[in-house]
Every structure is written in structure tokens, then in C-alpha cells.
Amino acid sequence: QARLVESGGGLVQSGGSLRLSCVASGLTVTLPAMAWFRQAPGKEREFVGGVSSTSVRPWYGDSVKGRFTISRGNAKDTMYLKMNLLKPNDTAVYYCAARRLDIMATTENLYEYWGQGTQVTVSS
């Protein structure tokens, strides 16, 4: 059974840092493209960033460029999101997603696998 499990969320002050992790297991493809999305209360889900298994250059959403860094583990079944200079409007539930095609996409409906999400709260 396919599973994506996020961890690392929590409460942090404005300007602080957090690192989220996502571990994939049971996927039908071993090297999928993976991405982070987030959803704040009352807002639509937003693409944060992601990377294919064969690329060295992640994609980022405009609101996080220069502050967030995405990387994959050596086994490619793990993805990390290092968040620096956090702002209150980064507060959201952060979701890990994976798709069967190893091609990056920014649209959530192109991802077949989703984690349960981890809450990130940034206080001012």
C-alpha cells in the first residue's frame, strides 16, 4: 500500500527555521517526482516546490523562492523541505505528494499519492 508520511512540523517564531521530511513507501514506481504543497485555512492548496528523481534543480513556488530548499535522499524515497526565514503567512498544513511520472508538475491533480500533512505554525 502506497504511503507518504510527513514529519517535522511544529510551532516556530517568525524568522525561524524548520525542516520537514517525507518518506515514501509502497509506491508502484520507485523513483517518482515528489513535491510539497501547502494549504492555509480558507485558502486553496498551493504548490511549494518539488523535484524529480533525476533532476538536480528543484522547482519552487514564487512565495518561497530564496527561503526554502528541497532535496531528495540518496535512496530517492525521501524528500526534505528546509524552510528558513519563516513568516506568519507560511502557516499552513504542508503536504507531501508524489506522481507516477518522474516529471515535475505544479498542479495538485497530477499527483496520485498524498501524505496526511503536517502542521506548520509561524508566530509573529
Side-chain angles (χ1 to χ4, degrees), residues 36-113:
W36 291 97
F37 289 79
R38 68 185 182 185
Q39 189 166 21
K43 295 187 177 180
E44 294 185 351
R45 196 169 294 187
E46 174 190 18
F47 174 77
V48 175
V51 64
S52 69
S53 66
T54 56
S55 174
V56 295
R57 179 174 290 183
W59 293 16
Y60 296 99
D62 289 340
S63 61
V64 307
K65 282 180 182 176
R67 299 187 298 122
F68 291 11
T69 303
I70 289 173
S71 59
R72 297 280 291 263
N74 290 334
K76 304 299 183 183
D77 59 353
T78 304
M79 178 176 61
Y80 305 99
L81 176 64
K82 181 64 187 302
M83 305 182 291
N84 295 323
L85 300 175
L86 283 161
K87 306 173 183 179
N89 60 6
D90 292 317
T91 295
V93 177
Y94 283 71
Y95 296 92
C96 174
R99 62 182 309 217
R100 295 188 184 98
L101 290 178
D102 193 22
I103 300 173
M104 275 308 307
T106 62
T107 306
E108 62 175 297
N109 62 6
L110 294 179
Y111 288 82
E112 295 91 356
Y113 306 103

